[in-house]
Amino acid sequence: MFPELNNLLNTTPDRAEQGKLTLLCDAKTDGSFLVHHFLSFYLKANCKVCFVALIQSFSHYNIVGQKLGVNLTMARERGQLVFLEGLKSAVDVFFQPQEKPHPLQFLREANAGNLKPLFEFVREALKPVGSGEAGWTYPVLLVDDLSVLLSLGLGAVAVLDFIHYCRATVCWELKGNVVVLVHDSGDVEDEENDILLNGLSHQSHLILRAEGLATGFCRDVHGQLRILWRRPSQSTSQRDQSLTYQYKIQDRSVSFFAKGMSPAVL
Amino acid sequence: MLDSLLALGGLVLLRDSVEWEGRSLLKALVKKSALWLVYHDFFRDPLNWSKTGEALPGGPLGALRAMCNRTDLGPVTIALDSLSWLLLHLPCTILCQTLHTVSHQDSCPPGDGSPVGKVHVLGLLHEELHGRGPMGALSSLAQTEVTLGGTMGQASARILCRRPRQRPTDQTQWFSILPDFSLDLQEGPSIESQPHSDPHIPPVDPTAHLTFNLHLSKKEREARDNLTLPFQFSSEKQEALLRPRPSQATSHIFYEPDAYDDLDQEDPDDDLDI
């Protein structure tokens, strides 16, 4: 996890809010550093994490996780981390007989299906298992990422329904958190992605949006992060609703600074 | 105006956006109007995935249609959180027909002639999720539209009210929702919070302390004003051109021929027979 990002979000692993949906989105840049941040954040917070990883392999997240101070292999072995490696298990849908529907069963269906098997996988992974459990604090669902589900043939409404059910179970019933990543197509007209992004934005409590700089690539400033807290319109709240920072990704950390205040230009 | 939204019957659309959410206003309005609240929980299992048999038959649409045939006659407020969910899962036409039937029950009294209480339908709609077609259809069904916005941390509601046989009214109301979901109406954002220059500091003249002179003396200014621009077609120039020129010394060209210049005066094209 990145301590500077924790400061911006005013949170630490031991006093994070529960029952929240956090939406990560990226436009014209790669926002996966946010996924790595939250993965290591919640592992350090001693949460039971279910990670639906559809984009990269387990070893990729493990290597980055080690730079951030968490060992995914050990977390998986002791049961703290339930990892669905989409790239590997997608093949199992076709080649291995399954008693019950595979989480990625929709890949076999000709028509646009729904994500009920995936939801049941998540619910099974995160359900509290009696008193013999090692005492994880609260469950967390992490999805990287949802836009690829649209590319795989699902409709935006099916993905929204899946997140709705995850929110009802993980956030509301189990008092845990959900973190999802969606790509913003930006200039490219992608109606389904826009519906997905806007629908999720309305359901989220916190939106982190990583944007590339409008002027193009820069060696010292890799992008800009917009943080939007969706809070009810209360006049008593003194915190800002929206903050914008620029960032630079380094090997083991990400440094954040106010716009135009990069150390390279000062 | 905001607190008397539900006084008129019919459909009230609450349009919100990602930046300015409307759910808390919906809750505040429900709290204001409801004496007795019946809560239909479709949050946990709207599509009946759990198949436990607890879900109401027909899902949310079935529940909404059931309200069309209600038997009790008191005034009722139906709050929908959210219309966007219904619009994403149902065809727009079915939703519009159902909403129209529900919100216009008071116009068709039952056969025994007893008056039916007013029906208010309060629906939350997320603006960015739908195209102009469905939004326009719902908008035309609605008697009142409340669009949420705001500036500088202060939320506002733009209320567009269409009453039958009256001109539509358009008002903006600033408000905030207190932690107990009661509505706090406010004046607009304070003017003092906007930054403006301090009147006690006089504006600084930048040409005051320079090492070179930027000002013109009176004579210089007059001379500059009397100058005609070289390419401006003034009346003097026009006359000078029209007047035949006296034979002035025309300009001379002084030419020193180089060593290899051919000074043959004959026309080189003489041998051409054109």
Side-chain angles (χ1 to χ4, degrees), chain B residues 102-125:
Chain B
V102 167
S103 55
H104 281 80
Q105 285 179 68
D106 52 348
S107 51
C108 350
D112 59 357
S114 53
V116 178
K118 270 197 161 187
V119 179
H120 313 103
V121 182
L122 186 57
L124 181 62
L125 195 59

Side-chain angles (χ1 to χ4, degrees), chain B residues 6 29-38 74-77:
Chain B
L6 299 175
L29 290 172
V30 166
K31 180 183 164 183
K32 214 172 163 63
S33 68
L35 294 165
W36 182 37
L37 184 67
V38 176
V76 67
T77 303

